């Protein structure tokens, strides 16, 4: 199977990838909200991983020498889920996921799978994750959707309304990806945590409901609920950290509903609301690092 060969070759790619990943930035979701747009106009100071800086420098970052990547072919085990057309207007859909692995020299058995926000890619969360969990193996994955020139995980209709059929199709494709990674022993789900930001966090939240059992530990940064119909599933074996920004004028208002929904389905949820906009910063790193220490300690018992 192609996926087995590619994951087997990951160790060779790591040496090439590590040099490029060191300069990877945490690119925030470039869908402007009110606070971010105002910061750009008024010239407020930028933080190291702010969304304002990320959106301003995203184009320049793409022109830099990129790390080695591997395309992973995805199977179609999830019968009954019909994928939307490959090209629809300004929407492009890749066949494969693109994967980047970073393995520190003193790596533990823990792997963190990273899902970027709109406008990011497989390198987007590498810097944040490296600081939060410096000894974990990092696996950045690129979503298959490009909409209006921005990489995404599923098609959006408005900033807060999404194509329900597309969410389910891409969730099924990502479930196949995870299952293939487990089959090829590239992932051990008992030692795997998923971190998603914005669009990527929303896919992870949907995955816990649409494909229960695959994602047992996840960090949701600046998320909202995107499913119109919520399946009746038991999430009592799922541990989640949710971090919302109080100044995130577009998405923070939806965070309490996601918190309630996850708790009603039994998830072990740690919900935080911090003084931040949609961009990520040092407080996010600190919160994620502390939560991972506790979560990993539980997984190793």
């Amino acid at each position: 199977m192609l996926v087995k060969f590619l994951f087997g070759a990951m160790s060779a790619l790591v040496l090439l990838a590590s040099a490029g990943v060191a300069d990877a930035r945490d690119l925030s979701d470039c869908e402007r909200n009110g606070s971010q747009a105002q910061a750009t106009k008024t010239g407020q100071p930028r933080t190291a991983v702010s969304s304002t800086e990320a959106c301003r420098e995203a184009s320049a970052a793409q022109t830099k020498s990129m790390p080695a990547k591997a395309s992973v072919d995805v199977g179609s085990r999830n019968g009954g889920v019909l994928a939307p057309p490959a090209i629809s207007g300004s929407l492009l859909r890749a066949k494969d996921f693109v994967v980047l692995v970073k393995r520190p020299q003193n790596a533990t058995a823990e792997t963190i799978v990273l899902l970027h926000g709109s406008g990011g890619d497989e390198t987007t969360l590498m810097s944040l994750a490296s600081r939060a969990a410096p000894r974990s193996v990092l696996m950045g994955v690129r979503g298959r959707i490009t909409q209006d020139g921005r990489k995404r995980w599923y098609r959006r209709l408005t900033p807060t309304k999404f194509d329900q059929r597309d969410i389910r199709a891409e969730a099924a494709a990502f479930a196949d990806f995870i299952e293939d990674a487990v089959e090829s022993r590239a992932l051990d789900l008992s030692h795997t945590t998923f971190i998603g930001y914005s669009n990527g966090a929303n896919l992870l939240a949907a995955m816990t409901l649409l494909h229960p059992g695959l994602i047992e530990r996840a960090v949701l940064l600046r998320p909202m609920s995107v499913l119109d119909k919520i399946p009746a599933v038991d999430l009592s074996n799922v541990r989640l950290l949710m971090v919302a920004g109080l100044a995130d004028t577009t998405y923070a208002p939806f965070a309490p509903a996601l918190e309630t929904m996850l708790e009603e389905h039994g998830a072990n949820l740690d919900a935080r609301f911090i003084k931040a906009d949609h961009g990520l910063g040092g407080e996010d790193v600190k919160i994620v690092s502390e939560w991972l220490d506790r979560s990993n300690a539980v997984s190793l018992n």
Side-chain angles (χ1 to χ4, degrees):
M1 184 185 296
L2 176 59
V3 69
K4 292 182 179 179
F5 169 80
L6 290 170
F7 276 114
M10 279 300 180
S11 58
L13 290 176
V14 170
L15 294 178
L16 295 175
S18 298
V21 173
D23 293 327
R25 297 181 182 276
D26 291 329
L27 304 183
S28 298
D29 189 331
C30 292
E31 299 164 6
R32 302 286 76 189
N33 64 28
S35 62
Q36 293 168 320
Q38 185 65 24
T40 302
K41 292 178 181 178
T42 59
Q44 294 177 359
R46 298 178 297 168
T47 59
V49 290
S50 71
S51 56
T52 302
E53 178 186 57
C55 292
R56 185 181 297 124
E57 298 182 358
S59 297
Q62 292 299 319
T63 64
K64 294 181 179 180
S65 176
M66 297 301 292
K69 301 178 179 66
S71 295
V72 179
D73 193 14
V74 178
S76 55
R77 281 193 287 267
N78 291 280
V81 180
L82 300 177
I87 302 177
S88 177
S90 60
L91 186 76
L92 301 176
R93 190 183 313 278
K95 178 184 177 182
D96 306 325
F97 291 100
V98 175
V99 178
L100 173 65
V101 173
K102 179 182 179 182
R103 184 183 301 274
Q105 291 183 348
N106 57 344
T108 66
E110 298 295 320
T111 297
I112 299 179
V113 180
L114 307 170
L115 282 70
H116 60 82
S118 296
D121 61 19
E122 64 278 14
T123 71
T124 295
L125 294 174
M126 285 286 181
S127 176
L128 180 146
S130 293
R131 292 155 62 194
R135 295 186 59 198
S136 293
V137 176
L138 306 181
M139 179 185 291
V141 186
R142 182 193 301 180
R144 302 195 306 170
I145 303 300
T146 302
Q147 184 176 9
D148 299 326
R150 294 173 179 163
K151 298 177 182 66
R152 295 180 52 81
W153 288 91
Y154 49 81
R155 177 174 176 256
R156 84 169 194 172
L157 306 176
T158 73
T160 58
K161 193 73 175 176
F162 309 96
D163 185 324
Q164 296 297 301
R165 180 184 175 192
D166 203 45
I167 293 170
R168 284 166 170 76
E170 291 306 305
F174 192 61
D176 280 347
F177 168 84
I178 296 172
E179 290 169 357
D180 283 345
V182 171
E183 183 179 339
S184 66
R185 298 185 179 180
L187 284 179
D188 175 356
L189 292 183
S190 65
H191 292 282
T192 298
T193 301
F194 295 81
I195 297 180
Y197 167 61
S198 189
N199 185 232
N202 301 343
L203 182 76
L204 288 178
M207 287 281 295
T208 64
L209 298 160
L210 297 173
H211 300 276
L214 282 182
I215 297 175
E216 297 182 356
R217 286 181 293 162
V219 175
L220 312 176
L221 302 172
R222 311 298 188 269
M224 65 172 289
S225 180
V226 295
L227 293 176
D228 289 346
K229 297 181 179 179
I230 308 299
V233 298
D234 179 10
L235 300 182
S236 58
N237 291 326
V238 178
R239 295 196 297 280
L240 301 172
L241 169 65
M242 184 182 86
V243 186
L246 292 172
D248 185 355
T249 57
T250 300
Y251 298 104
F254 295 92
L258 175 62
E259 177 185 8
T260 299
M261 183 271 291
L262 292 172
E263 289 180 338
E264 287 179 348
H265 282 72
N268 182 347
L269 177 66
D270 183 352
R272 309 287 186 91
F273 293 81
I274 64 175
K275 294 180 179 179
D277 62 8
H278 200 64
L280 303 178
E283 188 171 1
D284 294 284
V285 173
K286 182 176 183 294
I287 291 172
V288 172
S289 179
E290 292 174 351
W291 185 85
L292 286 173
D293 285 343
R294 296 196 305 272
S295 182
N296 289 344
V298 172
S299 75
L300 295 174
N301 288 338

